[in-house]
Amino acid sequence: MLSFEQVNDDICDCPDGSDEPGTAACPNNYFYCQNVGHIPGKLASSRVNDGVCDYDVCCDGSDEQGLSSSNPTAPKCENKCKEINARYVAELKKNAALQEAGLKVRDQIVAKAKKLRDALEVDLRMLQGKLVNLEEQLKQNEEKLATLSANIKVETEQPKEISKAKEDVEGLEKQYSSALEVIQKLQQNIETYELILQTMKTEYNPNFNDPAVKAAIRSFEEIQANPDATLDQTTNQLKQDKSKFASVMSDLGAFKVPTCNPASKSFLPAFFQNQLMSLKLWMIENGLLADTSFDPLGSTSSSTDGDSVELTYLRNMITKQNTELGKLRTQIQDLKTDISTNYGRDEVLRGLKNVCVSNLLGEYTYEFCFSGQASQKGNGQSTNLGTFESLNYSEDGKTLTLNYEKGAKCWSGPIRRASIEITCGSQDEILLVSEPERCEYFFKVSSPIACAKVEVPGTEGAVRDEL
Ligand code: MAN
């Protein structure tokens, strides 16, 4: 236990230096200056009684009061707490006024940000509703297409002319067959007669002088000497050709045309039908035509006949709806991403979308767009320094840092990036830009968006620390 006399006796008794708060006796200790009327301060012991008035910490000059017997020539520093405090309070008030004014501008930006966000949410709900409807319509169309495709038994009929031709060919075939039969019968008869004559020729008695038999045999021999092959050939050809009837009949039987509804019997060429379909589709989509009729060419929508026009229309519609759905989903995703992006406190940065700030500093004009891109312009070209990606606040909340990433690649170096440090100011202004590392840029910026409500604090209670 130390006695009262051992406190501030310029001898360091306690390891933590607590017995010498008013002297420099303990190394690595602090001198406490009361600074009555201002903020108390803590000064390194080494700076006590060193011949320098450390008014930045000890406005009362107590650090140089010659308390140290080892330094009796130390100058006595007069107490300047009153004027230092007056300057300090004036500075605080000035800053508070700046923050106050900036805050008003900030409030307007925040109000705009809120409106923008609300609008995005309305858009999102609207698009989500549209998505649900479109998905439902697509589902219905796909079901209709499936039903249609299943029901289409390509029903066919033959034109009358074809049926008539078939009948005629059938009649001709019968006549042909009868004629062929007659010819074949005659051929058989000829063979029989030839056999009889041959028998007569070989077996007749030449000792009987029968001139009729001899004349018949002579004629038979003449015929045998000049055989006529054409008959056999013709008969064979006729037999072969008979099969052609069957093939013609089969072709005629297979010749059928699809049964069509009146609409698909349109005389319009396919090109015009497609154009008409597209026009109707466009009119339906743009609310100029009710989407009640399923068939763009005006046939009954309940028809489930094999109707290629209706099928084509359905398929076109499904393709279009799928494309539209893809676009909608992308839009919804973009909106969701935007809505969930961190735009800082009160989403203040959202209110500054498309707002850009630039300043000519040295050889380049530097520019950044809040939540957009940062760039360096000069020598007729613009270099991308990165795109806004994230933000963070300093611990005391007074500094907002925006991080811009993935800029243009440095020649044989890193990808450019930038940190934009914003503190409260009456207007958006780039105060300075430096490049602490090659292709890493640091912007110091003032803007109302970093302003905050401040209380002008009393001077009591706080301790001004030199460190
Ligand atoms: C340009 C500028 C500079 C950068 C060099 C790197 O000159 O973008 O800021 O340091 O390229 O090569």
Side-chain angles (χ1 to χ4, degrees), residues 106-121 123-124 334-355 369-372 388 391 393 400 402 404 449:
R106 187 182 187 278
D107 284 348
Q108 288 169 8
I109 299 169
V110 167
K112 189 174 168 198
K114 182 160 182 347
K115 271 192 190 155
L116 286 173
R117 191 199 168 88
D118 290 348
L120 288 183
E121 278 172 352
D123 283 357
L124 179 62
D334 289 350
L335 276 181
K336 281 185 174 170
T337 306
D338 194 353
I339 287 173
S340 62
T341 296
N342 179 5
Y343 284 113
R345 291 183 188 144
D346 307 317
E347 294 211 296
V348 67
L349 282 182
R350 192 190 290 288
L352 288 176
K353 270 223 159 143
N354 307 320
V355 174
C369 301
F370 291 98
S371 72
F388 169 69
L391 58 83
Y393 285 90
L400 167 61
L402 310 181
Y404 287 61
I449 65 164

Side-chain angles (χ1 to χ4, degrees), residues 364 366 376 383 385 410-411 416 435 438-439 441:
Y364 296 109
Y366 286 92
Q376 179 193 55
T383 307
L385 301 185
C410 238
W411 187 76
R416 287 180 173 82
E435 197 176 333
R438 187 162 164 258
C439 298
Y441 302 83

Side-chain angles (χ1 to χ4, degrees), residues 289-302:
L289 199 68
D291 189 14
T292 48
S293 166
F294 197 59
D295 185 336
L297 296 178
S299 66
T300 51
S301 59
S302 59

